[in-house]
Amino acid sequence: MERIILYTKQRCHLCDEMKLILTNIQSSIPFQYEEIDIETDKALSEKYKEKIPVLMVDGKMFAKYTVDEMKLRTKLNNL
């Protein structure tokens, strides 16, 4: 299974929107993802700063700031 990671932080409306999309997709396509709060890791905080949320699929950036739900559904269906 591919590894899916969502880099996020608290008080981030774009992060909340991306999480909602992931939750919506999970209702029809079973998958798991790891959510990592960049504020808990100094290196991640420096790397991403305000450039979040970032959705990684198998070590590659799939989306930053927003995600196209249909493209993500297609990607997850092909995993």
Side-chain angles (χ1 to χ4, degrees):
M1 180 174 192
E2 305 288 335
R3 184 164 185 210
I4 301 169
I5 300 173
L6 176 62
Y7 291 106
T8 185
K9 71 178 186 178
Q10 295 181 21
R11 299 169 307 281
C12 169
H13 73 280
L14 293 176
C15 299
D16 294 339
E17 290 172 14
M18 193 173 290
K19 289 180 213 177
L20 182 60
I21 290 170
L22 290 169
T23 301
N24 288 340
I25 294 171
Q26 279 182 317
S27 66
S28 59
I29 303 170
F31 70 94
Q32 294 182 359
Y33 71 95
E34 179 181 2
E35 187 176 319
I36 298 177
D37 184 341
I38 65 164
E39 294 177 323
T40 63
D41 182 299
K42 185 176 173 112
L44 290 175
S45 187
E46 285 295 315
K47 180 177 181 177
Y48 292 110
K49 297 181 183 177
E50 300 299 319
K51 300 174 185 170
I52 57 162
V54 173
L55 184 64
M56 306 287 285
V57 178
D58 199 27
K60 296 178 185 166
M61 186 185 314
F62 183 82
K64 179 169 64 172
Y65 303 124
T66 63
V67 64
D68 181 301
E69 185 171 344
M70 292 310 297
K71 287 182 182 178
L72 183 55
R73 283 181 180 278
T74 299
K75 178 72 172 177
L76 293 173
N77 275 323
N78 293 318
L79 293 182

